Amino acid sequence: MNIQIPRGTQDILPGESEIWQFIEAKAQEVCRRYNFREIRTPIFEHTEVFTRTVGDTTDIVQKEMYTFKDRGNRDLTLRPEGTASVARSYVQHKLFGQAAQPTKLFYHGPMFRYERPQSGRMRQFVQFGVEAMGSADPAIDAEVLALVMDIYKEVGITNTKLVLNSLGDKESREAHRQALINHFKPSIHEFCGDCQMRLEKNPLRILDCKKDREHPLMSTAPSILDYLNEESRAYFEQVKAHLDRIGLPYVIDPTLVRGLDYYYHTAFEVMAEGEGFGAITTLCGGGRYDGLVQELGGPSTPGIGFAFSIERLIMALKAENLVSVEEPSIDCYLVALGEEAKSASVELLYKLRQAGIVADKDYLDKKMKGQFKAADRLNAKFTAVLGENELNENRIEVKNMETGEQVSQPLAEFVDYIKRELKGGQAG
């Protein structure tokens, strides 16, 4: 019986997992620099968390969610994105009542969407995201944009482009909505069934259609920027002014539409521009969602955030030849010869690890030559040989694998010796 992993999932093995750890550590470091704190939410939520926020006309809700009934006949859904879960937690735990505002959070973890698997798009994928809730200041938009670009800079990616648009407030979006209906309605029969259904419910989603993206009416569709009211236009101008002040480059794309219904005002994507990345160049997406918290029963709360796929970030790193996985290495490998020495090596190995030293030993009863080969495969800095004679004399032979130098050390001083040598031979 040969059981494989489900389609659209992956095993991240040693050698690859270190790349993930590197990205996660760098992203968390940047978030802490910006005073964002981590939040962890459940992998599954009540289905209405997503239907009420993501939008019932989106592909995510209509086609992609993993929804099931539990043993109590409750509708639950594996989270397809992180923002709605964070907003639910924000409301449930009344984070809006905390003294420190805005509430600035980051998260990372698996998300689930039933899509056709392809390069950089899995059915289980991992997102890293941030949310800043509680401020309507355009400066927080600029901060979030600077934060995500700093993450890409920290991991080494330079061939990126920040793309901005404004979706306006409710009044602006309604005016744009009617203009889109008027634009598409005469020829809506030429579009797919999804677009025909969305025409009256949410025509903005037509601009996000993957099937009809090459239709001539797409390129001539009314721009939201032409329908921004004075307040929305002023807000967008302030966001751009802040970005100009900090020297963060961007381009404006009036056709940029995020795939979720809760966005208002600022919307953005980060695009990969490195050669060999592939056709789908979006690395990150986000925007402002001023009505989301209210949809989940909370007070009127402005918010802004983003999320990026770690899988796609790794693709960008590989496209720019920036991925270098270090070979495994340890500080010390114990070679034990004879039954008494093997037994004593267990305690010695424990003492090394208690002292903060990365150490290992043979567990396959290999001969001396095989144990030294194992030490080489692990790139051990030091190899220590403990045989019956050494044990009787309370000493151990220690070899520096880089220099070839070999010394004999009293067993009682062995751990301190390794610690000292790892520090460059300095005492203490």
Side-chain angles (χ1 to χ4, degrees):
M1 186 174 183
N2 185 19
I3 300 177
Q4 304 286 315
I5 60 174
R7 187 167 183 249
T9 64
Q10 62 180 330
D11 294 317
I12 302 167
L13 304 177
E16 185 82 7
S17 61
E18 287 81 358
I19 304 171
W20 288 69
Q21 293 164 10
F22 166 76
I23 291 171
E24 290 162 359
K26 287 293 186 182
Q28 291 179 38
E29 178 185 324
V30 173
C31 285
R32 284 191 289 269
R33 193 185 307 161
Y34 280 73
N35 195 31
F36 281 70
R37 301 174 64 191
E38 185 179 11
I39 183 172
R40 302 190 183 195
T41 61
I43 287 178
F44 58 87
E45 300 265 4
H46 291 290
T47 300
E48 64 178 336
V49 168
F50 304 110
T51 56
R52 288 177 63 88
T53 58
V54 174
D56 58 6
T57 62
T58 61
D59 281 348
I60 292 176
V61 171
Q62 289 187 341
K63 304 176 182 179
E64 298 171 1
M65 293 202 313
Y66 281 90
T67 297
F68 59 96
K69 287 188 181 294
D70 69 2
R71 293 181 183 273
N73 205 37
R74 291 172 287 259
D75 286 318
L76 300 174
T77 296
L78 297 178
R79 61 188 183 194
E81 57 96 39
T83 302
S85 292
V86 173
R88 188 270 312 148
S89 182
Y90 177 85
V91 173
Q92 179 175 341
H93 300 288
K94 296 182 172 59
L95 299 185
F96 48 81
Q98 293 183 347
Q101 294 296 332
T103 302
K104 296 161 63 171
L105 306 166
F106 73 87
Y107 62 88
H108 62 95
M111 310 292 166
F112 306 85
R113 296 183 192 177
Y114 189 84
E115 297 184 281
R116 183 174 65 85
Q118 54 185 296
S119 178
R121 181 169 288 172
M122 308 291 287
R123 289 177 175 174
Q124 176 180 316
F125 56 98
V126 178
Q127 283 189 340
F128 190 102
V130 310
E131 314 295 345
M133 299 178 175
S135 173
D137 189 338
I140 200 73
D141 298 39
E143 176 175 302
V144 167
L145 292 165
L147 190 159
V148 68
M149 298 309 288
D150 270 357
I151 290 176
Y152 289 115
K153 183 169 66 175
E154 285 291 324
V155 300
I157 293 177
T158 55
N159 292 324
T160 56
K161 177 174 66 176
L162 175 60
V163 182
L164 289 184
N165 192 22
S166 173
L167 301 179
D169 58 11
K170 188 174 182 179
E171 179 183 79
S172 302
R173 287 189 64 161
E174 182 55 36
H176 183 231
R177 174 185 177 277
Q178 192 56 53
L180 288 173
I181 292 174
N182 295 339
H183 177 76
F184 286 114
K185 193 169 186 177
S187 304
I188 195 61
H189 61 279
E190 300 174 4
F191 287 75
C192 69
D194 289 338
C195 287
Q196 293 179 34
M197 181 193 70
R198 291 166 180 164
L199 178 66
E200 297 293 339
K201 285 187 174 182
N202 194 345
L204 194 65
R205 294 274 67 78
I206 296 176
L207 300 179
D208 203 33
C209 180
K210 298 177 179 66
K211 292 181 180 178
D212 295 318
R213 64 176 63 183
E214 301 300 326
H215 194 285
L217 286 182
M218 289 293 204
S219 60
T220 59
S223 168
I224 180 63
L225 298 181
D226 293 332
Y227 292 87
L228 296 181
N229 57 23
E230 185 175 344
E231 182 180 348
S232 295
R233 193 176 303 279
Y235 190 96
F236 195 38
E237 290 301 320
Q238 289 182 67
V239 173
K240 293 188 292 181
H242 288 310
L243 295 177
D244 293 338
R245 287 189 188 96
I246 63 177
L248 191 64
Y250 59 89
V251 296
I252 304 299
D253 180 1
T255 67
L256 173 63
V257 178
R258 299 297 305 138
L260 307 172
D261 280 358
Y262 51 61
Y263 286 114
Y264 287 88
H265 287 301
T266 309
F268 61 91
E269 290 183 349
V270 180
M271 317 295 287
E273 295 197 299
E275 292 184 9
F277 182 72
I280 304 174
T281 59
T282 303
L283 289 176
C284 170
R288 182 165 278 284
Y289 44 84
D290 291 0
L292 179 61
V293 173
Q294 287 174 275
E295 283 292 328
L296 292 168
S300 177
T301 305
I304 184 170
F306 67 77
F308 63 79
S309 159
I310 292 184
E311 289 90 346
R312 296 191 64 76
L313 177 48
I314 291 174
M315 286 178 58
L317 286 168
K318 290 179 177 179
E320 296 189 29
N321 295 315
L322 295 172
V323 174
S324 58
V325 180
E326 294 184 6
E327 291 294 322
S329 66
I330 63 173
D331 297 325
C332 184
Y333 191 91
L334 290 182
V335 175
L337 305 172
E339 292 305 316
E340 289 187 25
K342 290 177 184 177
S343 180
S345 70
V346 173
E347 180 184 1
L348 201 55
L349 184 64
Y350 179 77
K351 288 181 178 179
L352 285 167
R353 291 166 172 169
Q354 292 300 296
I357 296 166
V358 182
D360 212 341
K361 68 181 291 293
D362 170 56
Y363 291 101
L364 300 177
D365 202 26
K366 293 178 180 177
K367 302 296 184 183
M368 184 176 182
K369 185 177 180 181
Q371 293 186 55
F372 269 100
K373 284 184 177 180
D376 284 335
R377 282 193 293 270
L378 290 171
N379 293 313
K381 298 181 179 70
F382 294 90
T383 301
V385 180
L386 184 66
E388 301 297 339
N389 292 336
E390 288 82 8
L391 193 60
N392 290 334
E393 297 172 8
N394 284 314
R395 63 182 176 85
I396 189 167
E397 298 297 320
V398 184
K399 182 178 181 180
N400 185 315
M401 299 299 282
E402 182 179 352
T403 65
E405 179 185 3
Q406 186 167 319
V407 298
S408 181
Q409 285 290 312
L411 273 176
E413 299 175 13
F414 168 61
V415 174
D416 287 337
Y417 172 79
I418 295 295
K419 285 178 66 176
R420 190 166 59 249
E421 290 298 306
L422 290 170
K423 291 180 179 178
Q426 299 176 4

